Amino acid sequence: MRTEEIDVLVSEVGPRDGLQSVDRTMPTELKFRWVDALAGAGLREIEVGSFVSPKRLPQMADTGQVVAHARGIEGLNVLALVPNLRGAQDAVAAGAQALTMPISASRAHSLANIGKTPEEAIREVSRVAGFLASRDEPVSLEVGVSTAFGCTIQGPVPEDEVLEIARACAEAGADSVGLSDTTGSANPAQVRRMFTALRRELGERAGGAHLHNTRGQGLANVVAALDAGVRTLDSSQAGLGGCPYAPGASGNIVTEDLVYLLESMGLRTGVDLEALIEAREIIREGLPGEPLYGHVPDAGVHNGFVYAGSQEVTR
């Protein structure tokens, strides 16, 4: 496990975004082992599950147990996705250190995803923020504006509407507000433009990027986000995941490929690629036959690869 300071935070979402998109359910004990292995590889932030109705997503029924287990890992920031106040209360009771709330810029997607209009969802952000503010132990609230770059149900989403929703979420009490390419529709010029505008609107409360590789644009969009000052990037090991309520929204960015890209660019992630690639075996054990993606796991690192900040050459 690498322990140096980092330049970019890679936020792993596989145990949530990845597993919620798979029809089968990974056994709880294997989820424990997977989270352990991801943290052991140096990942410092993991979204371990979501507090939603098990009738809707039975894959997430054991999230409370996974959160409690993950809290025992030193140095790990444990995230959980919540759609509403009830989910936030359950997540905090389980020990989550940070909550993420998806607020869709697309009205059609918002209704399909959480059964609320964007305006109703923003009011829920306010309720959750009020609940968290009433507690002594700090728990951060992060909002991801989903379908920020386009929607497979609605089509194009006006950029000014995206920024208006982001601003409203910050005013409602979110600690940070990021943008999500839920449907893999974004291009680098759009990503650079939108995150530049987000930082102009929200300053230090402008959050990270959740980008998909559905149409092969994922890592190009990462570079554009970096150019715009983004320093937190979501990804999923082996590219698992996508929104089950957005048709065609497959293809999270592969964590292994993202780490390789960042380190190759001289940006420290603190992640050990070899240990990260080994963690894929737990997915194979828990979800046999599930497609696993990634160029780096297949090809390996190139001769002469050097981790950012290191003098040690890999051969």
Side-chain angles (χ1 to χ4, degrees), residues 26-43:
M26 180 181 281
T28 304
E29 289 297 325
L30 282 178
K31 289 186 182 181
F32 292 172
R33 284 176 48 200
W34 189 24
V35 170
D36 290 346
L38 291 169
L43 287 159

Side-chain angles (χ1 to χ4, degrees), residues 63-225:
T63 295
Q65 296 169 260
V66 182
V67 167
H69 175 83
R71 278 302 306 269
I73 301 174
E74 184 178 357
L76 179 66
N77 192 32
V78 180
L79 274 67
L81 182 142
V82 302
N84 50 36
L85 178 59
R86 171 63 186 275
Q89 292 168 334
D90 291 345
V92 168
Q97 295 160 293
L99 308 182
T100 59
M101 293 187 72
I103 307 298
S104 184
S106 160
R107 187 170 299 270
H109 177 262
S110 184
L111 290 169
N113 190 33
I114 60 174
K116 297 178 185 294
T117 65
E119 294 81 9
E120 290 171 332
I122 292 168
R123 287 196 288 273
E124 202 68 26
V125 171
S126 182
R127 295 177 68 199
V128 171
F131 162 66
L132 296 179
S134 70
R135 296 178 47 81
D136 293 331
E137 184 178 351
V139 176
S140 64
L141 176 58
E142 305 171 6
V143 166
V145 180
S146 54
T147 63
F149 302 94
C151 174
T152 52
I153 305 173
Q154 173 180 308
V157 179
E159 293 182 5
D160 57 345
E161 292 182 14
V162 174
L163 294 172
E164 182 179 341
I165 287 174
R167 187 166 50 247
C169 288
E171 292 172 352
D175 295 302
S176 67
V177 183
L179 302 179
S180 301
D181 184 22
T182 313
T183 62
S185 304
N187 63 71
Q190 185 185 22
V191 168
R192 186 179 295 107
R193 182 172 64 248
M194 289 292 288
F195 275 104
T196 298
L198 184 71
R199 288 177 66 83
R200 186 168 56 245
E201 287 284 341
L202 301 186
E204 292 302 313
R205 296 171 80 179
H210 180 100
L211 302 168
H212 282 203
N213 194 44
T214 313
R215 293 169 178 82
Q217 306 300 301
L219 293 184
N221 288 334
V222 163
V223 175

